[in-house]
Amino acid sequence: MPAGNWCLKKHFSTHVCQPGSGCRPLRGIIGRMNRAFLDVFLAGAIAAHASFCLSAPVSFAEPEAAVQAMADANPEKETTVTAPLPERLQDLLIHAISLIGVKYKYGGNSAQVGFDCSGFVRHVFAESASIELPRSSYAMGKLGESIEKDDLRPGDLVFYNTLHRRFSHVGIYLGEGRFVHAPSRGKTVEIVDMSDRYWKNRFNGARRLVNGD
């Protein structure tokens, strides 16, 4: 692994690393994560909305060393590991967060062109879980099992009323009260907090399409 600082910045933006800074963007890290490290990444970094920076390269094939390096570099942040996610859900979440920074494009279905909210969700589920979803967020809202907000698990779909109609927006729940989505024109795929006033006031419900068995 090349030397340099590895940084997971707030919202995990792929654009926070400036040339010459020695920081490498998230997209370069994803392929080097193994399953155990992903659990730490999701439980620790997402939970803290973190800005983790490693002053020296670590091997992501050695998760215990990676966890310790994160803790040493960020002593004010508590890094914990929850129960490991099933592999199918891990694949789904890896793929979803690897697309952070892709531009919003109405009607878009690919990382090359861009995504709208339902195009993003449809792409992630098709590529990582071999699940073909309908094209609209409203149609997605009729699938799977209805889930209460307090019972959300990573990989669940979360729905919002953003266009004065139910289920007009959809994202993928990551855990710790946060979800990833393709927001709106002029923005990029990002992670947001469900407790933010805008999202809290527009929450419509959630559906589970992938069980954690």
Side-chain angles (χ1 to χ4, degrees), residues 163-174:
L163 298 174
H164 304 292
R165 63 175 184 270
R166 290 177 58 79
F167 305 114
S168 51
H169 189 73
V170 62
I172 300 172
Y173 185 68
L174 294 174

Side-chain angles (χ1 to χ4, degrees), residues 93-175:
L93 298 181
I94 286 175
H95 193 58
I97 62 178
S98 75
L99 295 170
I100 291 170
V102 174
K103 68 180 180 179
Y104 178 90
K105 174 69 174 179
Y106 181 75
N109 292 289
S110 70
Q112 291 73 32
V113 174
F115 295 109
D116 60 15
C117 70
S118 56
F120 168 71
V121 170
R122 191 170 188 267
H123 171 86
V124 169
F125 273 75
E127 293 295 317
S128 61
S130 298
I131 296 175
E132 294 295 328
L133 298 180
R135 186 59 182 85
S136 73
S137 58
Y138 182 82
M140 291 179 189
K142 298 181 178 181
L143 302 177
E145 175 188 0
S146 179
I147 301 298
E148 295 297 323
K149 198 172 187 179
D150 291 340
D151 295 325
L152 280 167
R153 297 177 186 172
D156 290 343
L157 298 186
V158 287
F159 295 89
Y160 293 88
N161 181 340
T162 58
L163 298 174
H164 304 292
R165 63 175 184 270
R166 290 177 58 79
F167 305 114
S168 51
H169 189 73
V170 62
I172 300 172
Y173 185 68
L174 294 174

Side-chain angles (χ1 to χ4, degrees), residues 29-106:
I29 297 175
I30 292 295
R32 294 178 171 85
M33 285 186 179
N34 72 356
R35 301 297 177 186
F37 187 79
L38 176 66
D39 289 325
V40 176
F41 177 80
L42 294 173
I46 290 176
H49 240 182
S51 177
F52 287 118
C53 289
L54 308 182
S55 58
V58 299
S59 171
F60 289 100
E62 301 174 357
E64 292 183 2
V67 174
Q68 189 60 52
M70 291 171 71
D72 291 344
N74 301 272
E76 74 283 1
K77 296 184 184 295
E78 181 179 355
T79 303
T80 58
V81 183
T82 57
L85 293 170
E87 184 170 324
R88 194 182 191 195
L89 282 177
Q90 290 180 343
D91 289 340
L92 190 149
L93 298 181
I94 286 175
H95 193 58
I97 62 178
S98 75
L99 295 170
I100 291 170
V102 174
K103 68 180 180 179
Y104 178 90
K105 174 69 174 179
Y106 181 75

